[in-house]
Amino acid sequence: MGVIDQQAIDYTVHPRVNSSDPVPPRPRPQTPAHVITSDDEAIAIAQRLAGEFAVGAALRDREGLLPLAEVDAYSQSGLWGINIPKAYGGPGVSYKTLARVIAILAAADPSIAQITQNHLAINGHIDLDGTEEQKKEFFGWVLSGLRFGNAFSELNSKTVAAFETRVTYDVDHVIVNGEKFYTTGALLSHIIPIVAVDEDGKGFLVFTDRDAPGITVTNNWSSFGQRTTASGSVKIENVRVPKSRLLPVAAFDRPTVAGPVSQIIQAAVDAGIARGAIEDTIAFIKTQSRPWIDSGKETAGEDPFTIAAIGDLKIRLHAAEALLGIAAEAIDRGVENPTEEVIADATIKTAEAKVLTTEIAILATNKLFELAGTRSTLAKHNLDRHWRNARAHTLHDPVRWKFFHVGNFYLNDIDPPRHPWS
């Protein structure tokens, strides 16, 4: 199930971030991915992988090294197929378990956890909008070990939902043209679902092979945070794809869990960032920080103000994680009973969780330096990666709008909008 030999990894040959050079496709797996059989097994595998991913996380961030071996082990572990329904050969774990899995992995390396985000959301879209033939074929790809990237957002469009990438019809094929940015995971994927619209404005996911002629993936992601997510750009030039690989984007035209599923994964990443930062704060205080001169204490961990601050962080983290679980349970109810009322409840609870996970991620990563002291800022520790990751990742959708939609729901009985950012 993809155990990583850390000593065998040659980081000198890894492609680095913020490069204008195209990157060749990753090889397809030689063997099918493991198929997880239960929620408990999913959590156990996540905990094992988290221990392995944590080993090189600081180095990968510092040097801008993509997690090639780690992502291979991750997808072969079976965790990329955990929300494939049992009817199609998957484990069909609960979204409560899925959120916990992502949070566990994000505490070790949030870039790796984020790489999965779009793949898992796409699994959900296939289930919601695919034909029976597409579900069998596309889920079969995942169970064999193939990874979906994404080519959704565009750098220069007016809004995140304004798509200029076009699909035109040519008998039993389509031709796709456009350019995408923020394409998390595309670089390391085997199949890239491209969001494109036809001449009538109808949206589709076009499932394109990563190595298809006309596809150019560039590792030009230059953010100061989430540096190793492979979130560069995809250029699409006259890419020819069979019509059978066109999946309508219809899940937001009716009440479905598509929106809250996308959001719960984002919130879980932020919860993981917070937990990882708090764990590193406590470890640093215990082993390297000095007590403040006015405290009269022998160790930094005996400082009463530090003790209280750690207590505050832990309480806020546990509150955020609890609400994350409550939101995921609401999503699970939405899977079973996708009515307007149930879906609105899942969306609102997920928005509430996103607020708390955002707040604790930013607070914890900031407090790390205040509590651990000046020596915690030294480059050799690379602890600033926690703050950079939190600040970058929590920008995916503005939390200020979460407050508005939650308030509007409770005060004015207005359901939240249906889209991937709500």
Side-chain angles (χ1 to χ4, degrees), residues 319-378:
E321 290 176 333
L323 191 46
L324 188 72
I326 290 169
E329 289 172 350
I331 292 173
D332 287 325
R333 291 193 293 273
V335 172
E336 297 300 322
N337 184 30
T339 65
E340 290 278 3
E341 182 180 6
V342 173
I343 296 302
D345 178 67
T347 305
I348 289 298
K349 283 185 168 63
T350 304
E352 293 172 1
K354 187 68 164 61
V355 168
L356 291 195
T357 57
T358 293
E359 290 181 344
I360 186 57
I362 294 173
L363 178 65
T365 56
N366 188 45
K367 279 283 187 179
L368 187 161
F369 304 101
E370 175 190 335
L371 300 177
T374 306
R375 64 182 61 185
S376 66
T377 69
L378 297 179

Side-chain angles (χ1 to χ4, degrees), residues 113-135:
Q114 188 189 336
I115 288 173
T116 341
Q117 195 271 334
N118 292 296
H119 174 101
L120 294 171
I122 289 165
N123 285 350
H125 274 285
I126 294 168
D127 189 39
L128 291 169
D129 291 335
T131 64
E132 282 300 304
E133 291 75 15
Q134 287 175 325
K135 290 178 185 180

Side-chain angles (χ1 to χ4, degrees), residues 223-270:
S223 171
F224 60 65
Q226 295 294 93
R227 298 184 64 208
T228 59
T229 54
S231 298
S233 60
V234 175
K235 195 168 185 179
I236 307 139
E237 299 174 291
N238 295 316
V239 175
R240 189 175 178 85
V241 184
K243 274 187 179 178
S244 61
R245 290 189 172 194
L246 241 64
L247 184 78
V249 180
F252 302 108
D253 298 335
R254 65 191 192 278
T256 71
V257 297
V261 163
S262 180
Q263 286 293 293
I264 200 79
I265 301 170
Q266 303 282 25
V269 171
D270 296 333

Side-chain angles (χ1 to χ4, degrees), residues 64-398:
L65 303 169
L66 292 177
L68 304 184
E70 291 79 7
V71 169
D72 285 347
Y74 186 11
S75 58
Q76 285 296 105
S77 75
L79 289 177
W80 289 51
I82 54 176
N83 61 336
I84 292 177
K86 292 180 180 179
Y88 298 95
V93 306
S94 69
Y95 276 100
K96 186 173 184 179
T97 292
L98 186 147
R100 187 175 172 193
V101 162
I102 295 298
I104 289 168
L105 295 168
D109 188 331
S111 286
I112 294 177
Q114 188 189 336
I115 288 173
T116 341
Q117 195 271 334
N118 292 296
H119 174 101
L120 294 171
I122 289 165
N123 285 350
H125 274 285
I126 294 168
D127 189 39
L128 291 169
D129 291 335
T131 64
E132 282 300 304
E133 291 75 15
Q134 287 175 325
K135 290 178 185 180
K136 292 175 183 176
E137 181 178 15
F138 297 173
F139 286 149
W141 291 339
V142 176
L143 295 172
S144 74
L146 300 190
R147 300 188 291 261
F148 298 138
N150 92 81
F152 301 166
S153 297
E154 298 176 7
L155 186 60
N156 299 313
S157 57
K158 185 175 181 179
T159 71
V160 292
F163 299 111
E164 298 175 357
T165 301
R166 293 289 182 264
V167 57
T168 56
Y169 302 99
D170 183 19
V171 193
D172 57 350
H173 284 73
V174 296
I175 310 297
V176 191
N177 282 279
E179 191 162 0
K180 300 288 188 174
F181 198 64
Y182 309 113
T183 57
T184 303
L187 196 82
L188 306 182
S189 70
H190 305 109
I191 295 171
I192 304 175
I194 302 168
V195 172
V197 294
D198 65 12
E199 61 182 9
D200 297 321
K202 186 176 181 181
F204 296 92
L205 279 171
V206 186
F207 286 73
T208 309
D209 289 337
R210 166 70 171 83
D211 58 358
I215 291 286
T216 304
V217 185
T218 305
N219 190 22
N220 58 343
W221 177 238
S222 62
S223 171
F224 60 65
Q226 295 294 93
R227 298 184 64 208
T228 59
T229 54
S231 298
S233 60
V234 175
K235 195 168 185 179
I236 307 139
E237 299 174 291
N238 295 316
V239 175
R240 189 175 178 85
V241 184
K243 274 187 179 178
S244 61
R245 290 189 172 194
L246 241 64
L247 184 78
V249 180
F252 302 108
D253 298 335
R254 65 191 192 278
T256 71
V257 297
V261 163
S262 180
Q263 286 293 293
I264 200 79
I265 301 170
Q266 303 282 25
V269 171
D270 296 333
I273 292 173
R275 177 167 285 277
I278 293 170
E279 289 173 354
D280 276 358
T281 302
I282 292 172
F284 201 95
I285 291 169
K286 285 182 174 181
T287 59
Q288 302 197 53
S289 298
R290 296 183 295 183
W292 183 240
I293 188 171
D294 295 331
S295 71
K297 302 298 183 182
E298 290 296 316
T299 66
E302 295 174 289
D303 184 319
F305 296 110
T306 299
I307 292 171
I310 292 295
D312 179 64
L313 290 175
K314 278 289 190 176
I315 291 167
R316 294 174 187 271
L317 173 65
H318 293 160
E321 290 176 333
L323 191 46
L324 188 72
I326 290 169
E329 289 172 350
I331 292 173
D332 287 325
R333 291 193 293 273
V335 172
E336 297 300 322
N337 184 30
T339 65
E340 290 278 3
E341 182 180 6
V342 173
I343 296 302
D345 178 67
T347 305
I348 289 298
K349 283 185 168 63
T350 304
E352 293 172 1
K354 187 68 164 61
V355 168
L356 291 195
T357 57
T358 293
E359 290 181 344
I360 186 57
I362 294 173
L363 178 65
T365 56
N366 188 45
K367 279 283 187 179
L368 187 161
F369 304 101
E370 175 190 335
L371 300 177
T374 306
R375 64 182 61 185
S376 66
T377 69
L378 297 179
K380 66 180 181 180
H381 303 305
N382 196 28
L383 292 173
D384 60 296
R385 75 185 187 276
H386 293 300
W387 183 88
R388 291 185 285 103
N389 289 336
R391 185 62 283 179
H393 189 265
T394 55
L395 296 175
H396 273 80
D397 42 271

